[in-house]
Amino acid sequence: MRARSVTKISRGSWTAVGVGVAVVAGLVAVGAVSGEEPRSVTSATTSTTTPSTTLATSTSASPMPAPTMQQVSRGPSTMSATAADSSLAKLQTLAVKGRAPKTGYSREQFGQAWTDDVTVADGHNGCDTRNDILRRDLTSLTMKPGSHGCAVQTGTLNDPYTNSTIAFQRGASTSSAVQIDHVVALSDAWQKGAQQLSAMERRNLANDPRNLQATDGSANQQKGDGDAATWLPSNKSYRCVYVSRQVDVKAVYRLWVTRAEKDAMTHILTGCGATPVETSEPSETATRTATPVPTTPAPTATRPPATQTPMYVAPPQDDRVSAYYKNCSAARAAGAAPLYRGQPGYRSALDRDGDGVACE
């Protein structure tokens, strides 16, 4: 009885093994028919994930690691008064200077476009920066087969710059519908301090998720290298966040702003609820009018007309003595000249200019 029992158990074990082999063979066959790696079946289940969802990865060995999906969030689409206050306070810490010459600028000054060789978030994750941002900002994603979860094939962008919805599809004639904007344009950064940054810092600036935003291609082209004084998103409700992001980037990378740019940023942030602050940095107008103008003019001395001769005080005379001088020669001969009005011997006939002094 024992031997017979052992035989049944043995047969059952072999049957289980046979079923397992058949299942494995079936999975291999499916992979061969689809022409994709087995891990692509797993990634297909994430084709509708949102940008905040971590992509599933296979436990099998892979020559390229799956993306870590640790991107810095682009932040909210609206701003509270408290956040606007904070951003306005940070704006006051930025230097205000004129725009430096564009001499020496080229895109290559900021490294190879969309390089993964950076030390900011998503650096060295095995995917290029453009696809990192597409995965962050688009929804309803499908991934390109064989890209190990890096390259976005299709998706939907709710564009904060234009407040429009854009369908993205990878392709030579379609990919440009969604472009990646440098919130602080690289040319603008070059003219406002980036020339003094190291090569690695400039590479980081060009690939920092804080400075990148997927947006409508035509809006990105329209912006060019404009700053807040020359270009703002057409979606007014996003301008507060947009300007705040520019302030953050310029603070991190020690870039300055122009006077017009700072004024524009201040106007936007105060319009979002920030309390206006008094800056210690004097404007050009304030410098020219540093001396206050008194509200009440200081009293000035009254000057006599140019033709008027000061009145002379007649020397004391003996009123009892009367005199008459036929002419000034007689007065001079008597030693009485000059004669002052009120003195004995003074007559208006002798005072030719009427100034009160005769026979001068």
Side-chain angles (χ1 to χ4, degrees):
M1 293 295 294
R2 289 182 182 176
R4 192 174 301 169
S5 174
V6 171
T7 302
K8 289 182 179 179
I9 293 174
S10 177
R11 288 177 181 174
S13 299
W14 282 109
T15 301
V17 171
V19 171
V21 171
V23 171
V24 172
L27 289 175
V28 173
V30 170
V33 171
S34 65
E36 301 176 5
E37 297 183 22
R39 63 176 294 153
S40 65
V41 176
T42 303
S43 64
T45 62
T46 65
S47 61
T48 58
T49 58
T50 62
S52 60
T53 302
T54 302
L55 291 177
T57 58
S58 171
T59 57
S60 61
S62 173
M64 180 185 296
T68 60
M69 293 300 290
Q70 60 180 5
Q71 295 98 331
V72 173
S73 170
R74 72 183 186 190
S77 58
T78 58
M79 175 172 283
S80 66
T82 301
D85 273 332
S86 177
S87 186
L88 185 58
K90 187 180 293 185
L91 173 60
Q92 306 312 313
T93 68
L94 302 182
V96 179
K97 301 181 184 180
R99 186 184 289 269
K102 197 175 178 179
T103 306
Y105 169 76
S106 68
R107 178 60 179 83
E108 289 71 25
Q109 292 283 1
F110 293 83
Q112 180 182 348
W114 310 131
T115 178
D116 190 36
D117 185 18
V118 290
T119 59
V120 292
D122 286 337
H124 300 283
N125 70 347
C127 297
D128 65 276
T129 304
R130 172 177 164 80
N131 277 294
D132 285 339
I133 301 304
L134 289 176
R135 290 198 313 276
R136 183 193 70 181
D137 292 349
L138 273 60
T139 59
S140 303
L141 301 174
T142 63
M143 312 308 293
K144 181 180 179 181
S147 68
H148 304 284
C150 281
V152 175
Q153 185 71 36
T154 62
T156 301
L157 172 66
N158 296 313
D159 180 24
Y161 286 8
T162 62
N163 197 29
S164 60
T165 301
I166 304 171
F168 171 79
Q169 182 173 357
R170 176 179 295 275
S173 61
T174 56
S175 290
S176 61
V178 173
Q179 298 180 14
I180 308 300
D181 174 50
H182 287 96
V183 178
V184 173
L186 300 186
S187 174
D188 179 70
W190 179 260
Q191 296 173 80
K192 296 175 183 175
Q195 295 183 40
Q196 284 75 51
L197 299 179
S198 67
M200 173 57 80
E201 286 178 311
R202 288 198 295 269
R203 210 156 64 232
N204 283 343
L205 171 60
N207 294 276
D208 193 329
R210 290 171 291 193
N211 193 36
L212 298 172
Q213 175 62 52
T215 186
D216 171 67
S218 59
N220 187 47
Q221 295 299 316
Q222 182 187 52
K223 172 185 174 178
D225 60 358
D227 59 19
T230 59
W231 189 90
L232 291 168
S234 60
N235 181 17
K236 294 182 179 180
S237 65
Y238 189 70
R239 289 180 177 179
C240 297
V241 175
Y242 175 79
V243 165
S244 179
R245 291 178 67 181
Q246 287 189 325
V247 171
D248 287 343
V249 170
K250 293 206 167 190
V252 169
Y253 289 94
R254 309 181 303 284
L255 307 178
W256 68 74
V257 292
T258 63
R259 165 53 57 191
E261 181 182 11
K262 182 175 182 178
D263 289 345
M265 288 176 161
T266 301
H267 175 73
I268 292 295
L269 293 173
T270 53
C272 304
T275 304
V277 295
E278 299 222 355
T279 175
S280 59
E281 183 262 323
S283 64
E284 293 179 2
T285 303
T287 302
R288 289 195 299 267
T289 60
T291 303
V293 178
T295 56
T296 304
T300 57
T302 303
R303 293 185 177 181
T307 59
Q308 181 179 347
T309 303
M311 295 297 291
Y312 293 96
V313 178
Q317 298 288 335
D318 185 357
D319 292 340
R320 294 174 297 176
V321 179
S322 61
Y324 175 80
Y325 303 103
K326 181 181 178 180
N327 50 43
C328 285
S329 296
R332 291 187 185 97
L339 297 168
Y340 298 92
R341 183 182 288 117
Q343 283 184 334
Y346 172 86
R347 290 184 295 121
S348 60
L350 302 178
D351 186 1
R352 296 181 180 181
D353 54 8
D355 63 352
V357 180
C359 301
E360 299 175 74

